[in-house]
């Protein structure tokens, strides 16, 4: 008996994989049904539906890059402190001192790549008309995921706390100041007042809520850090679950039911 | 100005590698034509092309000093600078729209593999020449700009591919055959056919990402300080389309209203598009209107504006030609005028500062009336006249949603043209309440 | 008719135990949401003091822009105004477009914003680029010790006609 057979016949192996190797048709079906990760897929798909020239694989790559970002992001969190005092130096240390300092690069370029792949995924879905009934709702979920991906990227942009970061975020967040009615330099905000007291001012408007202060500073860094590492990823993970579930339920990757 | 006449050694090596890569690509294409497509003549042609690139490559390896000529560089800079320095953005936008229309009109020609391959080769040759220019190279090789180079090539490829298939499918359907995607209706098991594809895709992706990360350092500039804004200060690249809109619109429009309308518009697409054809296969003929609109938004208004914002907007957010030195002291007279001034000044009417709402409304009446006409009168007019068939098919809510989204999308090109043609700054100008359009 | 339907609505939300229960649930969920949003507004801010002294009026030359207090968000400018004569005022360094910090270009005699190219004259009035309105001015006065004191808690906007306010400049 070879070592391979010994392992495959052991009680431990059999408790994990409760069927023979997927070499015949029956077991290739069973493996898809018994594995929690694989069962995101159906058991069989239309052949034309998985042709690379048709699907481009971009949705799958976006999900894979999300996983890459999660793993590298968690690793980076071990060395990064979101305070004015430490943030920049921690990034410097990650670049110059840490072993495998390439992690920050993986995280940043992975994020850029993810923005591109999610656009291309949307592009493909549009061009094959895959948003058409009965899959309208899932297209909407996808649009929200696109927005959240951009927000993830945007909040992450601030964390190195360098000149590139602070000014990109200053410019970006100042747009919130111009929100109609809710931003203190937005149209109509000056009309919202009780007597002489203005309701919307620089300490109460939409931008203040986003930054946690009146200027991009330590409070903002902390706020964006929490959004970037916890709040938005959780929302994205939840919506990805909905998105995948609906892909299955609305007809699968190969076309409508 | 500020350009070396001698290429650095590292640049020569880089160009050698670049041309060697292009030559190898063409060798591959020649082999494909020869053996897979069984077309000897094409095989010979592309072998010759590969040879030309190989000569370039070897020359640069051997220390050649072929640089883009100063005359050409000065010529482009001069052309971009006409019309009070405003010709650059005008040319860029009009040319991209014209190319877009030509591509859709002559898609059969442009998606022909040999034609597409020639275009790619010409593009790479232009890139190779341009890379010999100091200023061009400095901008294109900035770390955060690399994704945009990737974006250009990937969007180009992934526009060619579906259109190639759409052209083929449209021909098949015109002959009464089903589209290619409906041909293979048979089912295959996900294990092994799909899971292995996915695994290979993940491995390739990881490989590319690791190579990219090892070769290119993530940018890190000086520590943040609020006292000194870098010149130019740019948003992250995927928002540069929005930043470009900020040149023409106030933040509340460009940063809040228009992005919100983009999101709403995207979500609304499946509910507006009543055309049930073209589901699950590539086609153009069956969905002309939908695809043209979406592509105009994605390619012309989103991607090309990102490219413009990244490569052609320099210090002070001035427009710079592709080979122009980014001079922070470049002076462009941007004396923009509001519509109210155009209207009231010739009539000899002036309005004092700090007046009440009544006075403001009178002052801005021309603009307010125009905007109201655009949003309130134009849609019913269209429903009655040229878009009547749409209105009947879609019904009241769908039609007006479509037209309104359309109007918001058109708002950017309209304001661009008004700015270029009349130096128009604002149609409505009420700084007292931050309400400028 | 309108009265009847309104009564119908009230009956739906308060008329039955079920209605009351759902209404209470909705109201408390809304209350919690609002409370959460309110929680995200900090009550205490650690900001530098809004008043600071910049020196004696004689330290500033006519026609010059003083860059020394840029990191405190102010330019001190002394010019000869056609109506008011020799004045000193404090301009905010925040661009009125999207809040970048413009640079004073001595050669071209203008403030130029690096983000979107807005240009302002030495007075702070916008004349080119996308900025919708002039730079703001801070309150400035001569303190008891004769030094100029800038107060950033008060701002003056030209388009509201506030630059005529004597608090917005100091006459030399």
């Amino acid at each position: 008996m070879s070592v391979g057979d010994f392992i495959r016949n052991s009680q431990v192996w059999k408790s994990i994989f409760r069927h023979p190797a997927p070499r015949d048709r029956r077991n290739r079906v069973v493996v898809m049904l018994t594995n929690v990760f694989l069962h995101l897929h159906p058991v069989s798909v239309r052949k034309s539906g998985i042709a690379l020239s048709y699907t481009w694989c971009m949705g799958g790559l976006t999900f894979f890059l999300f996983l890459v970002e999660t793993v590298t992001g968690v690793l980076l969190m071990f060395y990064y402190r979101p305070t004015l005092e430490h943030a920049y130096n921690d990034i410097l240390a990650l670049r110059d001192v840490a072993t495998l300092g390439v992690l920050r690069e993986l995280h940043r370029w992975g994020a850029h790549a993810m923005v591109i792949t999610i656009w291309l995924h949307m592009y493909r879905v549009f061009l094959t008309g895959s948003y058409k009934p009965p899959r309208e709702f899932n297209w909407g979920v996808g649009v929200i995921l696109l927005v959240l991906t951009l927000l993830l990227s945007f909040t992450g942009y601030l964390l190195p706390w360098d000149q590139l970061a602070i000014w990109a975020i200053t410019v970006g967040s100042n747009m919130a100041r111009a929100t109609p009615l809710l931003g203190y330099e937005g149209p109509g905000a000056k009309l919202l007042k009780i007597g002489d007291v203005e309701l919307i001012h620089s300490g109460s408007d939409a931008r203040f809520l986003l930054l946690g202060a009146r200027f991009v500073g330590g409070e903002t860094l902390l706020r964006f850090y929490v959004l970037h590492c916890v709040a938005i990823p959780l929302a994205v993970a939840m919506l990805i679950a909905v998105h995948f579930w609906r892909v299955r339920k609305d007809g699968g990757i190969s076309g409508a039911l | 100005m500020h350009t070396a006449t001698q290429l650095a050694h590292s640049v020569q090596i880089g160009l050698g590698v670049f041309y060697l890569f292009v030559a190898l690509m063409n060798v591959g294409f020649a082999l494909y034509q020869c053996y897979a497509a069984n077309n000897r003549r094409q095989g010979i042609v592309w072998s010759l092309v590969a040879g030309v690139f190989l000569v370039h490559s070897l020359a640069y390896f051997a220390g050649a000093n072929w640089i883009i000529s100063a005359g050409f560089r000065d010529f482009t800079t001069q052309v971009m600078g006409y019309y009070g320095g405003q010709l650059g953005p005008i040319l860029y936008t009009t040319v991209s729209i014209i190319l877009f229309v030509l591509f859709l009109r002559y898609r059969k020609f442009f998606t022909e593999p040999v034609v597409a391959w020639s275009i790619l080769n010409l593009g790479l040759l232009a890139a190779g020449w341009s890379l010999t220019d100091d200023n061009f190279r400095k901008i294109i090789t900035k770390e955060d700009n690399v994704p945009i180079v990737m974006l250009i090539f990937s969007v180009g490829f992934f526009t060619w591919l579906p259109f190639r298939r759409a052209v083929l499918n449209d021909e098949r359907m015109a002959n009464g055959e089903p589209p290619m995607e409906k041909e293979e209706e048979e089912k295959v098991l996900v294990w092994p056919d799909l899971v292995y594809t996915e695994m290979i895709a993940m491995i390739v992706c990881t490989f590319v990402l690791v190579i990219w990360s090892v070769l290119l350092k993530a940018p890190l500039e000086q520590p943040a300080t609020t006292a000194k804004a870098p010149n130019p200060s740019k948003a992250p690249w995927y928002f540069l389309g929005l930043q470009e809109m900020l040149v023409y619109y106030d933040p509340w429009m460009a940063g809040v209203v228009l992005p919100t309308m983009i999101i709403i518009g995207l979500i609304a697409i499946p509910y507006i598009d009543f055309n049930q054809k073209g589901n699950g296969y590539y086609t153009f003929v069956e969905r002309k209107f939908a695809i043209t609109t979406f592509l105009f938004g994605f390619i012309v208004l989103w991607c090309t504006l990102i490219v413009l914002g990244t490569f052609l907007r320099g210090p002070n957010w001035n427009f710079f030609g592709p080979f122009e030195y980014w001079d922070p002291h470049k002076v462009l007279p941007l004396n923009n005028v509001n519509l109210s001034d155009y209207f009231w000044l010739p009539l000899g009417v002036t309005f004092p500062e700090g007046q009440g709402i009544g006075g403001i409304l009178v002052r801005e009446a021309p603009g307010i009336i125009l905007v109201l006409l655009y949003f309130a009168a134009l849609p019913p007019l269209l429903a009655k006249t040229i878009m009547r068939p749409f209105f009947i098919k879609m019904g009241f809510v769908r039609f007006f949603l479509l037209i309104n989204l359309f109007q918001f999308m058109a708002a950017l090109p309209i304001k661009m043209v008004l700015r270029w043609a009349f130096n128009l700054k604002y149609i409505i100008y009420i700084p007292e309440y931050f309400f400028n359009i | 008719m309108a009265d009847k339907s309104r009564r119908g609505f009230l009956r739906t939300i308060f008329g039955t135990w079920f209605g009351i229960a759902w209404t209470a649930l909705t109201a408390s969920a809304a209350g919690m949401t609002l409370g959460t949003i309110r929680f995200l507004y900090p009550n205490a801010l650690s900001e530098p003091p809004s008043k600071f002294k910049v020196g004696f009026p004689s330290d500033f030359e006519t026609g010059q822009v003083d860059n020394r207090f840029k990191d405190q968000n102010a330019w001190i400018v002394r010019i000869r105004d056609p109506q008011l004569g020799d004045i000193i005022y404090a301009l905010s360094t925040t661009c009125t477009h999207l809040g970048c910090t413009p640079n004073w270009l001595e050669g071209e005699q203008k403030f130029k914003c690096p983000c979107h190219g807005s240009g302002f004259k030495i007075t702070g009035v916008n004349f080119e680029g996308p900025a919708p309105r002039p730079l703001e001015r801070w309150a400035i006065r001569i303190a008891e010790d004769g030094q100029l004191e800038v107060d950033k808690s008060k701002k003056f906007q030209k388009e509201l006609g506030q630059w005529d306010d004597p608090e917005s400049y100091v006459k030399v």
Side-chain angles (χ1 to χ4, degrees), chain B residues 16-296:
Chain B
V17 173
F18 172 78
Y19 280 113
L20 187 65
F21 177 71
V22 180
L24 287 178
M25 268 172 49
N26 276 295
V27 169
F29 192 68
L31 288 175
Y32 164 80
Q33 288 289 352
C34 240
Y35 296 104
N38 238 333
N39 192 337
R40 271 291 153 74
R41 225 175 48 208
Q42 288 291 337
I44 295 171
V45 169
W46 295 107
S47 309
L48 287 176
V49 172
V52 173
F53 282 118
L54 193 63
V55 169
H56 273 77
S57 166
L58 293 177
Y60 276 116
F61 276 130
N65 199 37
W66 302 339
I67 296 183
I68 203 164
S69 87
F72 176 73
R73 191 179 60 231
D74 294 345
F75 172 74
T76 47
T77 305
Q78 199 189 348
V79 168
M80 299 288 172
Y82 283 133
Y83 197 63
Q86 295 300 303
L87 195 60
I90 301 178
L91 259 184
Y92 182 84
T93 316
T94 13
V95 167
S96 53
I97 290 176
I98 290 171
L99 287 179
F100 173 71
V101 173
L102 283 180
F103 176 76
L104 288 186
R105 176 70 188 77
Y106 300 104
R107 57 190 181 280
K108 212 178 144 189
F109 171 75
F110 281 110
T111 55
E112 205 55 55
V114 174
V115 177
W117 187 259
S118 312
I119 294 174
L120 175 66
N121 266 318
L122 285 178
L124 289 171
L125 188 64
W129 279 347
S130 306
L131 279 172
T132 59
D133 183 78
D134 280 351
N135 299 319
F136 185 88
R137 201 172 53 243
K138 210 179 283 166
I139 296 162
I140 212 103
T141 54
K142 224 176 138 218
E143 300 94 339
D144 261 6
N145 290 352
V146 170
I148 293 134
V149 178
M150 292 172 57
L151 180 77
I152 294 174
F153 282 100
S154 53
V155 167
F157 176 74
F158 285 116
T159 302
W160 169 76
L161 180 66
F163 269 84
R164 171 76 184 154
R165 290 177 68 97
V167 166
L168 295 177
N169 274 342
D170 290 340
E171 273 175 6
R172 290 170 66 102
M173 286 187 283
N175 295 332
E177 296 168 59
M180 290 179 285
E181 288 84 356
K182 302 285 172 198
E183 195 95 297
E184 293 174 323
E185 285 293 348
E186 62 175 303
K187 289 214 164 187
V188 292
L189 286 178
V190 167
W191 186 296
D193 284 81
L194 181 55
V195 286
Y196 276 91
T197 314
E198 286 174 348
M199 195 173 92
I200 293 167
M202 286 194 272
I203 292 170
V204 171
C205 180
T206 312
F207 182 76
V208 170
L209 202 56
V210 170
I211 298 287
W212 184 5
S213 303
V214 170
L215 289 183
L216 200 67
K217 280 273 149 207
L220 187 64
E221 294 187 358
Q222 295 300 306
T225 158
T226 48
K228 195 168 164 284
N231 191 2
S233 291
K234 292 192 177 185
W237 61 269
Y238 36 83
F239 286 145
L240 283 183
L242 296 181
Q243 199 171 0
E244 187 61 24
M245 290 206 277
L246 285 169
V247 175
Y248 302 96
Y249 277 107
D250 245 30
W252 76 277
M253 277 292 285
V256 183
V257 174
L258 291 176
T260 312
M261 293 315 286
I262 294 175
I263 297 169
I264 293 177
L266 281 175
I267 294 178
I269 286 177
Y271 304 99
I272 298 175
D273 187 0
F274 57 88
N275 179 2
Q276 296 302 324
K277 286 190 208 155
N279 186 347
Y281 54 93
Y282 292 102
T283 174
F284 180 73
V285 174
E286 289 186 346
R287 307 171 53 206
K288 270 187 183 163
F289 182 75
I291 291 186
T292 309
T293 313
F294 185 84
L295 248 68
F296 183 75

Side-chain angles (χ1 to χ4, degrees), chain A residues 196-212:
Chain A
D196 261 355
V197 183
E198 292 189 354
L199 291 181
I200 304 291
H201 50 82
S202 63
S204 74
D205 70 338
R207 176 162 163 271
F208 186 75
L209 178 67
L210 184 69
L211 300 185

